Amino acid sequence: MTTVLLTGAAGYIGSHTWLALQAAGFSVVGLDDFSNSSPEVLERLRELGGRRPVFERASVTDAAALDAVFARHRIDAVVHFAAFKAVGESAAQPLAYYANNVGGLVGTCQAMQRHGVKTLVFSSSATVYGEPKYLPYDEAHPLSAMNVYGRTKLFGEQILRDLEASDPAWKIAWLRYFNPVGAHESGRIGEDPRGVPNNLMPYVTQVAVGRREFLQVFGGDYDTPDGTGVRDYLHVMDLAEGHVAALRYLLDHGASITTNLGTGQGTSVLQLVQAFERASGRPIPYRIVDRRPGDLPAFWADPTLARERLGWRTRRDLDAMCADSWRWQSANPQGYA
Ligand code: UFG
């Protein structure tokens, strides 16, 4: 059985990918320092997976702890999620972002190298495309970063290119995520941001359960069909299955890959709000306010390459994303607390 080390395993995408990997027959070792996640996730994973998750509490910036993890488990591949992801916070705390996102990646790869593990799936982001020169973004689109967080992902991508060039035994998947939303169909795990949500869907679900009074729609005068920002939202379980497909590709083809993971469909803020109201039966009061600095008007993925090379495509539509986000938030109004 192939054993996969998941860093950032207790986080939103990590926890869903944990279940998807188990469902696909992989053995999983989860690692997290809970700096932005809850230990309660492990309880929920035990319940959903029918067995106690194998878990190591450690930071990816702790080389000795990583060595101990590789010594205790026979790891075949790593899926590296562990990173900070708030754009605004990244401008205020650049060193914390570089230490965790870049330092943690380098530390993880060094530990892998010391233990002879050279198969890696890396969480990148559509943010590495920067200002759209054309849409949809395909993988050949020029790269640039618009903020500190984006630079941590862009530098991470480049570091891994240099690593692969230095030693072709490395097999790496660079996965560029679009906007993950939704939750596991059970409603037992989902997205639980600390403090005020930065992202749209968790803000909407917190309005729906009464934790926030109204949604602020950042900008109503973009050059988009209804004036609000357009993104490519994909269901987190589709995204999780994209990781399974990417890992299989690395293991079966012995080749690296860089690919988008998105639906190819753009959805505006107001379209998402309407879909959520339908799915939940709750009204979402909103006010249109100023644009959020640094936001792009619109972007979405060209998902062709993932379909052709990985045989992966999204299966869950916007209604399912909203229904599953709502199932999670309504059953867990305070998240994991
Ligand atoms: N939005 C609102 N109100 C909110 C939150 C968001 O109107 O309270 C709007 C945004 O303006 C945008 C859309 O909803 O039009 C989506 O915003 P998110 O914050 O959910 O997602 P972003 O596309 O801005 O952010 C994503 C990733 C980041 C990444 C960024 C790069 O979450 O990790 O893309 O642009 F850095």
Side-chain angles (χ1 to χ4, degrees), residues 87 127 149 179 198-200 216-218 231 233 292 295:
V87 172
T127 197
Y149 164 74
N179 290 57
N198 293 301
N199 297 117
L200 178 61
Q216 299 187 67
V217 175
F218 298 137
R231 296 291 183 272
Y233 297 96
R292 183 169 62 179
D295 268 359

Side-chain angles (χ1 to χ4, degrees), residues 7-9 31-32 60 79-84 100-101 104-105 108 123 153:
T7 72
L31 179 146
D32 207 296
V60 287
V79 181
H80 181 66
F81 294 107
F84 297 145
N100 196 42
N101 293 15
L105 173 64
T108 298
S123 301
K153 291 295 170 187

Side-chain angles (χ1 to χ4, degrees), residues 215-236:
L215 172 72
Q216 299 187 67
V217 175
F218 298 137
D221 57 354
Y222 285 114
D223 183 16
T224 58
D226 64 17
T228 67
V230 167
R231 296 291 183 272
D232 184 338
Y233 297 96
L234 78 160
H235 196 293
V236 67

Side-chain angles (χ1 to χ4, degrees), residues 25-291:
F26 290 92
S27 165
V28 177
V29 176
L31 179 146
D32 207 296
D33 63 359
F34 300 125
S35 60
N36 194 24
S37 59
S38 165
E40 173 64 17
V41 171
L42 301 176
E43 270 311 304
R44 306 285 177 98
L45 289 172
R46 185 179 58 76
E47 188 189 293
L48 292 168
R51 66 190 107 149
R52 226 182 93 211
V54 179
F55 180 75
E56 297 278 359
R57 181 172 188 162
S59 165
V60 287
T61 59
D62 182 343
L66 286 178
D67 272 334
V69 170
F70 279 93
R72 267 196 293 278
H73 307 276
R74 194 192 45 79
I75 304 295
D76 300 298
V78 176
V79 181
H80 181 66
F81 294 107
F84 297 145
K85 59 159 196 174
V87 172
E89 185 183 69
S90 75
Q93 303 174 32
L95 295 178
Y97 271 69
Y98 287 118
N100 196 42
N101 293 15
V102 180
L105 173 64
V106 172
T108 298
C109 291
Q110 285 178 315
M112 291 174 70
Q113 198 154 45
R114 284 194 295 274
H115 296 271
V117 181
K118 296 185 176 178
T119 303
L120 174 69
V121 177
F122 175 61
S123 301
S124 189
S125 165
T127 197
V128 300
Y129 293 123
E131 200 79 55
K133 304 275 184 271
Y134 56 84
L135 285 169
Y137 290 131
D138 59 23
E139 290 80 0
H141 188 283
L143 304 181
S144 74
M146 302 178 44
N147 51 58
V148 173
Y149 164 74
R151 274 187 284 284
T152 70
K153 291 295 170 187
L154 195 52
F155 297 164
E157 284 208 2
Q158 190 58 53
I159 288 165
L160 295 177
R161 307 247 178 246
D162 292 340
L163 179 60
E164 188 199 35
S166 76
D167 176 0
W170 279 87
K171 303 299 171 218
I172 300 173
W174 288 263
L175 303 184
R176 295 175 177 156
Y177 310 158
F178 284 70
N179 290 57
V181 298
H184 188 258
E185 288 80 354
S186 66
R188 296 295 288 160
I189 61 171
E191 186 170 15
D192 182 22
R194 293 197 176 160
V196 181
N198 293 301
N199 297 117
L200 178 61
M201 184 64 98
Y203 206 104
V204 167
T205 62
Q206 291 192 11
V207 170
V209 291
R211 279 171 70 179
R212 318 251 163 223
E213 206 185 330
F214 61 90
L215 172 72
Q216 299 187 67
V217 175
F218 298 137
D221 57 354
Y222 285 114
D223 183 16
T224 58
D226 64 17
T228 67
V230 167
R231 296 291 183 272
D232 184 338
Y233 297 96
L234 78 160
H235 196 293
V236 67
M237 285 308 299
D238 281 328
L239 180 59
E241 288 162 12
H243 290 73
V244 175
L247 187 58
R248 283 213 173 108
Y249 182 91
L250 297 182
L251 295 169
D252 296 350
H253 291 70
S256 295
I257 184 165
T258 301
T259 187
N260 289 336
L261 294 178
T263 66
Q265 300 276 324
T267 300
S268 75
V269 174
L270 292 182
Q271 285 173 327
L272 185 140
V273 166
Q274 283 153 14
F276 187 86
E277 287 180 327
R278 278 199 306 276
S280 65
R282 298 269 173 120
I284 303 297
Y286 68 84
R287 289 180 202 163
I288 296 188
V289 300
D290 285 349
R291 295 178 179 191

